[in-house]
Amino acid sequence: MVTRINVLFIFLFTTIFFNTSNITQARQHKNPSSSSSSFLVLALTKSSVSLPTPKSQTQERIKKPLESSIGAEMEPLREVRDGYLITLNIGTPPQAVQVYMDTGSDLTWVPCGNLSFDCIDCYDFMNNNLKSSSVFSPLHSSSSLRASCASSFCVEIHSSDNAFDPCAIAGCSVGMLLKSTCLRPCPTFAYTYGEGGLVSGILTRDILKAQTRDVPRFSFGCVASTYHEPIGIAGFGRGLLSLPSQLGFVQKGFSHCFLPFKFVNNPNISSPLILGDSLLSGNLTNSLQFTPMLNTPMYPNSYYIGLESITIGTNVTATQVPLTLKQFDSQGNGGMLIDSGTTYTHLPNPLYSQIITSLQSTITYPRETETESRTGFDLCYKVPCPNNNLTSLENDAVMMFPSITFHFLNNAALTLPQGNSFYAMSAPNDGSVVKCLLFRNMEDGDYGPAGVFGSFQQQNVKVVYDLEKERIGFQAMDCVTEAVSHGLYQGS
């Protein structure tokens, strides 16, 4: 679980990568100063970093939280080990900073420092080539300012980490607080994650350069040191601080279509991320399966949906799920969080064990228990791979594993594409390859979501966040075709 508050921006033909982190928090808010008749198309692309393997339950981060006719815009997304990254152009002159796209949080923050960015206990960061190019320097931007206590964003960023008003503690009088006129600097904030991650920084305002617009007073977290958090975050939640909110799209929505992992090393194609009107244009709504967003006062800015059942293969009887996956308790806990920042789908027991048992009863390939022990995944099989050609195996029309269908509230059904359940753990060898189920058991707990619908299961699926009608739509499709239709393929 996670809690964050930071803001960042996305613009046309910038870069986004794929990540397992999660984030949540903020209030729903319409930015009255943002309006445009255009739309934004963003691109998500993939890197060559390998898929993370959860050797313990705590390695996979699941976060816990502590307007009119506006157009659309698009951005390219790219994939890294544990998330999709966006390149933000911030400052004067613009500095390009790569950050994770995260639908599980509002806050956008960037690694920030004039000489260095200190990431404590970030195992893989030293080998990450993003290190030198992903730090924002406020001293090198003539338009960079520290936000004051008069900013509503300052109140928002401290809304979950302080029992007392931080600006009052900083010396703002009651009268100034009531009139939002206190010009004292917004106090330093701290943001923590359920698995122990931590970021600390200051709320900063600067110019964000977009494709069709500039955001002159873009508010984001300028973070100089972190624990377990090597790369910044672009929050796509529904709160005041989120990227869609500051761009003026919070009352419309956005959609994405994640390319499958086999495009990791292909620099010529990107996954489309679209903000604004065009995501619901034409006949798109007729082909989408919509399920309502579930709202809870505890996590008002997160995207929750209700899961009713799961069908394995051709079973007539679906596996029923606990009530906690489709409704909240009196404290606001429960529901299924849909999150681009969590890699694997997480299901609670006994549902998770029932799914494992059901899959075991229908799959006849030999189990690969050694891989299960080594990786921490619970269901791995040794699958024939003729000529050691994994590409031809993936393109084979014959279903290798039984289908998995999620049945959401409002009779919305999504059958996962074949590549969204089992994944090859290594290159084929001796005519076979080991594939493991990329689902995880949700850790027991009395707070937060009861389950998480992760980004791996969203590959080759168009996911539409219709914020105006408070619903989320799904449509299984070839995201390559979608990328080509938006001009995100540069091949001959």
Side-chain angles (χ1 to χ4, degrees):
M1 306 288 175
V2 182
T3 309
R4 297 192 186 182
I5 310 175
N6 272 1
V7 199
L8 274 169
F9 153 79
I10 307 174
F11 74 158
L12 181 62
F13 297 121
T14 57
T15 323
I16 297 180
F17 296 68
F18 193 87
N19 168 305
T20 63
S21 55
N22 287 357
I23 316 168
T24 9
Q25 159 77 30
R27 303 186 195 86
Q28 186 172 359
H29 175 85
K30 179 177 179 179
N31 187 346
S33 64
S34 299
S35 64
S36 172
S37 60
S38 65
F39 64 86
L40 178 63
V41 180
L42 313 174
L44 306 170
T45 51
K46 299 175 180 292
S47 78
S48 60
V49 187
S50 61
L51 185 74
T53 53
K55 295 183 180 178
S56 70
Q57 296 278 34
T58 57
Q59 274 190 326
E60 172 77 5
R61 295 189 304 181
I62 302 176
K63 301 148 199 173
K64 176 185 69 175
L66 282 176
E67 308 205 319
S68 61
S69 182
I70 296 175
E73 302 199 21
M74 180 180 77
E75 171 83 18
L77 297 177
R78 293 188 177 273
E79 175 190 322
V80 292
R81 181 181 68 88
D82 51 1
Y84 289 97
L85 293 174
I86 301 170
T87 298
L88 307 180
N89 284 332
I90 305 175
T92 307
Q95 299 176 41
V97 187
Q98 293 176 329
V99 296
Y100 288 131
M101 172 203 176
D102 189 7
T103 60
S105 66
D106 294 338
L107 180 64
T108 299
W109 64 268
V110 296
C112 193
N114 297 310
L115 296 176
S116 64
F117 166 66
D118 185 20
C119 184
I120 303 169
D121 206 9
C122 292
Y123 322 107
D124 302 329
F125 193 43
M126 293 302 133
N127 297 323
N128 194 323
N129 59 13
L130 296 172
K131 179 179 181 180
S132 61
S133 63
S134 297
V135 176
F136 173 75
S137 173
L139 285 185
H140 292 154
S141 172
S142 62
S143 52
S144 181
L145 295 171
R146 181 169 180 172
S148 73
C149 283
S151 168
S152 58
F153 294 103
C154 181
V155 176
E156 187 74 12
I157 202 167
H158 286 288
S159 62
S160 67
D161 63 358
N162 272 302
F164 303 98
D165 191 304
C167 285
I169 297 173
C172 296
S173 68
V174 173
M176 287 181 172
L177 290 173
L178 291 174
K179 297 177 182 178
S180 297
T181 58
C182 184
L183 298 181
R184 289 184 178 272
C186 182
T188 299
F189 69 87
Y191 198 79
T192 59
Y193 297 86
E195 84 297 343
L198 172 68
V199 300
S200 179
I202 60 175
L203 184 62
T204 301
R205 310 196 81 164
D206 210 331
I207 297 174
L208 179 65
K209 296 287 184 179
Q211 174 201 1
T212 58
R213 73 192 71 181
D214 292 345
V215 182
R217 294 171 62 82
F218 185 72
S219 296
F220 59 96
C222 194
V223 173
S225 62
T226 70
Y227 178 69
H228 281 178
E229 297 298 326
I231 298 174
I233 300 290
F236 270 67
R238 290 188 279 177
L240 174 66
L241 285 163
S242 76
L243 183 65
S245 178
Q246 293 198 59
L247 286 174
F249 294 118
V250 73
Q251 295 301 315
K252 280 297 178 182
F254 58 92
S255 70
H256 56 68
C257 197
F258 295 154
L259 290 169
F261 277 16
K262 65 182 179 181
F263 291 98
V264 161
N265 295 315
N266 190 335
N268 298 319
I269 190 167
S270 303
S271 303
L273 168 65
I274 304 172
L275 293 86
D277 282 342
S278 70
L279 61 90
L280 290 173
S281 62
N283 296 320
L284 179 60
T285 54
N286 297 329
S287 56
L288 286 163
Q289 297 275 312
F290 280 103
T291 188
M293 293 181 188
L294 302 182
N295 296 309
T296 169
M298 180 175 290
Y299 314 122
N301 301 308
S302 300
Y303 302 108
Y304 279 85
I305 52 180
L307 180 65
E308 288 198 304
S309 63
I310 297 177
T311 300
I312 303 298
T314 58
N315 289 345
V316 176
T317 303
T319 302
Q320 298 302 308
V321 307
L323 288 175
T324 54
L325 277 170
K326 53 185 173 182
Q327 64 184 40
F328 299 106
D329 63 19
S330 59
Q331 304 300 315
N333 301 298
M336 173 167 268
L337 177 70
I338 178 169
D339 189 1
S340 69
T342 297
T343 305
Y344 318 112
T345 288
H346 286 63
L347 299 173
N349 266 325
L351 173 62
Y352 177 77
S353 296
Q354 292 171 345
I355 296 301
I356 294 294
T357 299
S358 190
L359 287 168
Q360 282 179 298
S361 67
T362 58
I363 299 173
T364 58
Y365 298 119
R367 286 281 292 276
E368 187 58 47
T369 55
E370 185 278 330
T371 303
E372 294 174 1
S373 299
R374 176 171 52 84
T375 64
F377 291 112
D378 292 315
L379 211 56
C380 298
Y381 291 96
K382 192 173 184 178
V383 179
C385 186
N387 302 318
N388 291 329
N389 190 332
L390 189 58
T391 300
S392 63
L393 182 66
E394 291 173 345
N395 293 334
D396 195 332
V398 178
M399 293 189 66
M400 190 179 305
F401 294 101
S403 62
I404 300 177
T405 301
F406 283 76
H407 302 273
F408 299 108
L409 294 176
N410 198 37
N411 296 317
L414 173 64
T415 299
L416 298 182
Q418 262 294 293
N420 290 18
S421 52
F422 287 83
Y423 183 76
M425 291 292 103
S426 60
N429 183 41
D430 293 333
S432 65
V433 65
V434 176
K435 290 197 169 189
C436 295
L437 178 69
L438 295 198
F439 282 49
R440 297 297 295 160
N441 182 17
M442 190 78 178
E443 290 184 355
D444 292 334
D446 297 327
Y447 54 81
V452 179
F453 192 61
S455 58
F456 184 83
Q457 279 67 44
Q458 297 175 44
Q459 297 175 100
N460 272 338
V461 176
K462 188 175 187 67
V463 183
V464 173
Y465 294 76
D466 183 355
L467 302 184
E468 189 172 37
K469 295 183 178 179
E470 295 194 326
R471 58 181 185 168
I472 293 180
F474 300 97
Q475 181 189 4
M477 67 186 307
D478 182 359
C479 287
V480 172
T481 302
E482 182 78 352
V484 170
S485 70
H486 289 292
L488 297 178
Y489 176 62
Q490 302 174 10
S492 55

